């Protein structure tokens, strides 16, 4: 398998964490979808990373589906029990939702000229980030893992999201108002999958 990814993409990081946790051998292909030389569009019609090229040459996208592929090699990453599975998927939605808002805010902020409408959009998305991080903090409480007593898809998604906003929005202090999330992130920082997938600018 070959995973086409961008080193700072939180969705790609989620997949990388899942692959490492599941022990799935894969080759990494670095790509920037915004570059004229990008190759991901040759495999994923959406032109987005991550994209997983299978051994038979077929391509699987996007991150939600790729994570399912990697989790098939693990008994715990996506729990089999219905309620636990739904819980893990809700955590994935929380993490991906934070990333969706952060990416919209970042793309608008990169415009050469930011209009009043653009500033309103950025403020709205940053508000969504803050409110969803607060929700995640309240939902997690003092637990070590998002679901049960083992590392799951939920953890991969939450860690990727919090790591992304720390990287792209260093002025957005999510740690101060949510000390339990800061403790959670610090506790997992040395985990192999988390350390090896750390965003690179």
């Amino acid at each position: 398998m070959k995973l086409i990814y961008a080193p700072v993409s939180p969705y790609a990081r989620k997949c990388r964490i899942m692959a490492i946790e599941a022990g799935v051998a894969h080759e990494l292909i670095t790509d920037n979808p915004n570059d004229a030389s990008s190759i991901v569009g040759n495999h994923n019609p959406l032109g987005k990373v991550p994209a997983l090229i299978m051994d038979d040459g077929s391509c699987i996208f996007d991150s939600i589906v790729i994570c399912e592929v990697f989790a098939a090699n693990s008994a715990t990453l996506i729990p089999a029990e219905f309620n636990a599975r739904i819980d893990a998927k809700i955590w994935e939605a929380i993490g991906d939702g934070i990333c969706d808002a952060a990416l919209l805010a970042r793309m608008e902020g990169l415009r050469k000229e930011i209009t009043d409408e653009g500033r309103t959009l950025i403020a709205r998305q940053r508000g969504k980030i803050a409110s969803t991080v607060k929700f995640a903090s309240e939902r997690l409480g003092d637990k070590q893992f998002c679901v049960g007593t083992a590392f799951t898809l939920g953890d991969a998604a939450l860690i990727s999201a919090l790591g992304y906003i720390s990287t792209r929005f260093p002025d957005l202090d999510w740690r101060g108002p949510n000390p339990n999330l800061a403790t959670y992130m610090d506790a997992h920082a040395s985990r192999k999958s988390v350390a090896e997938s750390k965003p690179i600018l």
Side-chain angles (χ1 to χ4, degrees), residues 69-129:
V69 173
F70 291 146
N73 203 51
S74 166
T76 58
L77 285 173
I78 299 182
E81 194 275 323
F82 180 78
N83 290 330
R85 179 184 179 88
I86 293 301
D87 199 10
K89 297 298 286 186
I90 289 173
W91 275 109
E92 183 180 28
I94 290 169
D96 284 3
I98 292 170
C99 295
D100 291 346
L103 281 167
L104 282 172
R106 173 169 167 73
M107 294 307 293
E108 190 65 30
L110 289 175
R111 292 182 182 275
K112 290 183 179 179
E113 293 185 13
I114 304 177
T115 63
D116 288 343
E117 183 179 0
R119 280 185 281 273
T120 298
L121 185 149
I122 292 170
R124 184 180 301 119
Q125 299 308 316
R126 287 175 68 100
K128 289 181 180 181
I129 294 170

Side-chain angles (χ1 to χ4, degrees), residues 16-164:
R16 291 187 65 200
I17 290 174
M18 292 288 284
I20 295 169
E21 290 288 336
V24 177
H26 61 288
E27 176 185 343
L28 291 174
I29 299 176
T30 305
D31 191 52
N32 183 344
N34 297 318
D35 285 350
S37 60
S38 173
I39 64 165
V40 72
N42 298 331
H43 305 278
N44 177 0
L46 299 174
K48 296 164 57 178
V49 295
L52 182 65
I53 304 174
M54 304 299 285
D55 293 338
D56 64 1
S58 61
C59 184
I60 293 176
F61 54 89
D62 59 4
S63 69
I64 293 174
V65 185
I66 294 171
C67 284
E68 290 274 357
V69 173
F70 291 146
N73 203 51
S74 166
T76 58
L77 285 173
I78 299 182
E81 194 275 323
F82 180 78
N83 290 330
R85 179 184 179 88
I86 293 301
D87 199 10
K89 297 298 286 186
I90 289 173
W91 275 109
E92 183 180 28
I94 290 169
D96 284 3
I98 292 170
C99 295
D100 291 346
L103 281 167
L104 282 172
R106 173 169 167 73
M107 294 307 293
E108 190 65 30
L110 289 175
R111 292 182 182 275
K112 290 183 179 179
E113 293 185 13
I114 304 177
T115 63
D116 288 343
E117 183 179 0
R119 280 185 281 273
T120 298
L121 185 149
I122 292 170
R124 184 180 301 119
Q125 299 308 316
R126 287 175 68 100
K128 289 181 180 181
I129 294 170
S131 63
T132 308
V133 169
K134 181 176 184 292
F135 177 83
S137 174
E138 293 170 350
R139 184 181 177 89
L140 182 69
D142 60 358
K143 294 186 299 182
Q144 182 180 358
F145 300 104
C146 289
V147 182
T149 58
F151 193 96
T152 67
L153 168 65
D155 298 294
L158 181 60
I159 288 168
S160 297
L162 295 177
Y164 182 75

